[in-house]
Amino acid sequence: MNQLTLKAPIRVEGKGLHSGKHLTAVFNPAPANFGVKFKRIDLEGQPVIDALAENVVDTTRGTVIGKGEARVSTIEHAMAALYAYGVDNCLVEVDGPELPILDGSATIYTEKIEEVGLEELNADKDYYIIKEKIQYKDDNGATITIYPDEGFSVEVMVEYNSPVLPNQFAVLDDLADFRQEVGSARTFVFVREIEALLQHGLIKGGDLENSIVIYDQPVSQEKINEICDAVKVVHMTVDKLGYINPKPLKWDNEPARHKLMDVIGDIALIGRPLKGRVVAIRPGHTVNNKFARMLRKEVKHTEIQSPVYNPNVAPLIDVNGIKKLLPHRYPFLLIDKIIELDRKHCVAVKNVTVNEPFFQGHFPEEPVMPGVLQVEAMAQAAGVLVLNFLEDPEKYSTYFLKIDNVKFRQKVVPGNTLLLNVSLATEIRRGCAVVKGYAFVGEKIVCEAEFMAQIIKNK
């Protein structure tokens, strides 16, 4: 699947939660491998801030990215919508220090994304695949765990010491259901919290239209009147515990669904789409962002992931199919099967056994697969990649023109299974293909190389 951007700019306007000021944010299309970035057009020099976990500087009542004056807060609802729709690249121009709070959900973002549509870019979507359990746990009992999975899904469990909002559970099994199941869930606040938040200037733009207000502890009428004055709503009499919004809840577990949306928005700061199942217990922006930072470090230190290989799954092309595409035969056919193949990349498998003829003379007392043969195996996988889509592949062969930047990182020995991941670095031009190849044993890169091959019609 290729990377996505917006087909046209999206404009949203409204007051900010923290400042209460009128704000505008424009979401612009961006080129491949750009990522999601925020641009403060109200500041001199118009600084650009990467929406990445390492740039999070605060999580009070929302996620804040950037340093010094160049900061943008309450970005998580927009990030969740972009992530859910698979938008990899976007430049958001903001005329202030925060995004508009809108109705406290991601509804407007999802509506406008669907209105303008998405554009596919000429670059592969760069998934980070979770291959083993990763967990973050804080001292307060909040836990976020991500498990291997074929797609991306989220489960959230919230727990509050409240008679109105006790334990709640929410789940999103498919991002395609984001708008219908999660996107319109509003943020929420407890009446007992409002006074302290107002004193710290954190919800000057908060009102009953953009948040769910929960009354779970008796408060004097005088105090309720003061809060109403502060948020500029008419005085009200609250005679029983519960939700005091004029609009009813959209779901009984709307607060849990909103927390699920926040988890998606904060995890989007990793900078790459994930394949894994997230289970969050008592999540909040602080723990979400600490988990995202931890995972972001792992992603940054992983140059390229090993392909997923399940030997129980039938290959796309077996050795007999490979023989129909390549002229190589024993003892020089160095790939056994193809497990992934599209127009831009190919993954082949080579089972290395002690019966290989080169082991008889290549360090026989300590058999090691020659590095040049590892490169040759990658080249054969590249041959399958480029020949498979020709009309009459048996009429053509591929030949090396040059090899660059070869690195051998680890010995390959009998018993290893080589996973050969090759991809086109550029479009095929004038019968020449430029390929980047990696060879893996397990999760480790053992060899890499860049090479150019020429496609020539057989005589």
Side-chain angles (χ1 to χ4, degrees), residues 382-397:
V384 172
L385 171 63
V386 298
L387 294 175
N388 185 61
F389 296 101
L390 295 181
E391 226 174 272
D392 299 303
E394 69 280 357
K395 295 181 180 179
Y396 296 86
S397 295

Side-chain angles (χ1 to χ4, degrees), residues 249-294:
L249 292 181
K250 298 176 182 179
W251 304 276
D252 290 341
N253 66 340
E254 187 172 352
R257 293 184 190 230
H258 184 84
K259 284 293 186 182
L260 191 153
M261 179 171 66
D262 283 345
V263 168
I264 294 174
D266 288 332
I267 282 180
L269 299 176
I270 292 165
R272 286 172 64 180
L274 297 175
K275 287 189 177 181
R277 186 169 188 85
V278 179
V279 178
I281 300 172
R282 299 176 63 187
H285 287 302
T286 300
V287 67
N288 295 351
N289 280 289
K290 286 181 177 178
F291 174 77
R293 288 185 190 186
M294 180 182 76

Side-chain angles (χ1 to χ4, degrees), residues 217-236:
Q217 290 180 8
V219 176
S220 69
Q221 186 61 46
E222 181 183 4
K223 184 61 67 178
I224 289 177
N225 291 344
E226 289 178 10
I227 292 173
C228 289
D229 291 338
V231 297
K232 299 180 177 59
V233 298
V234 297
H235 290 186
M236 62 180 70

Side-chain angles (χ1 to χ4, degrees), residues 149-353:
D149 204 353
E150 291 182 358
F152 179 78
S153 56
V154 185
E155 295 178 20
V156 163
M157 287 156 273
V158 299
E159 178 188 1
Y160 291 92
N161 184 21
S162 167
V164 176
L165 180 57
N167 300 348
Q168 284 192 355
F169 173 80
V171 60
L172 183 67
D173 284 321
D174 190 336
L175 285 176
D177 299 326
F178 176 84
R179 179 179 178 181
Q180 181 181 352
E181 299 293 333
V182 173
S184 58
R186 296 162 292 175
T187 190
F188 60 94
V189 64
F190 294 93
V191 170
R192 53 186 158 85
E193 297 177 323
I194 293 177
E195 186 175 17
L197 293 170
L198 287 169
Q199 287 175 352
H200 289 87
L202 292 175
I203 55 167
K204 293 177 183 177
D207 59 35
L208 294 179
E209 297 299 318
N210 58 34
S211 62
I212 299 167
V213 181
I214 302 169
Y215 183 59
D216 68 341
Q217 290 180 8
V219 176
S220 69
Q221 186 61 46
E222 181 183 4
K223 184 61 67 178
I224 289 177
N225 291 344
E226 289 178 10
I227 292 173
C228 289
D229 291 338
V231 297
K232 299 180 177 59
V233 298
V234 297
H235 290 186
M236 62 180 70
T237 301
V238 184
D239 54 6
K240 61 180 181 179
L241 302 182
Y243 299 96
I244 61 176
N245 293 73
K247 296 181 182 178
L249 292 181
K250 298 176 182 179
W251 304 276
D252 290 341
N253 66 340
E254 187 172 352
R257 293 184 190 230
H258 184 84
K259 284 293 186 182
L260 191 153
M261 179 171 66
D262 283 345
V263 168
I264 294 174
D266 288 332
I267 282 180
L269 299 176
I270 292 165
R272 286 172 64 180
L274 297 175
K275 287 189 177 181
R277 186 169 188 85
V278 179
V279 178
I281 300 172
R282 299 176 63 187
H285 287 302
T286 300
V287 67
N288 295 351
N289 280 289
K290 286 181 177 178
F291 174 77
R293 288 185 190 186
M294 180 182 76
L295 198 50
R296 169 75 182 160
K297 283 182 182 176
E298 187 164 321
V299 169
K300 284 179 71 177
H301 293 153
T302 304
E303 186 178 346
I304 181 172
Q305 281 190 290
S306 168
V308 176
Y309 174 43
N310 182 353
N312 295 314
V313 176
L316 294 180
I317 304 176
D318 63 14
V319 70
N320 293 318
I322 292 170
K323 286 180 178 180
K324 292 177 182 178
L325 293 168
L326 300 181
H328 308 76
R329 295 295 182 268
Y330 177 86
F332 218 71
L333 181 57
L334 296 175
I335 54 177
D336 298 321
K337 57 184 174 181
I338 305 297
I339 59 172
E340 291 181 27
L341 182 63
D342 57 33
R343 292 196 170 270
K344 292 184 178 178
H345 96 290
C346 173
V347 177
V349 176
K350 164 63 178 171
N351 295 301
V352 182
T353 77

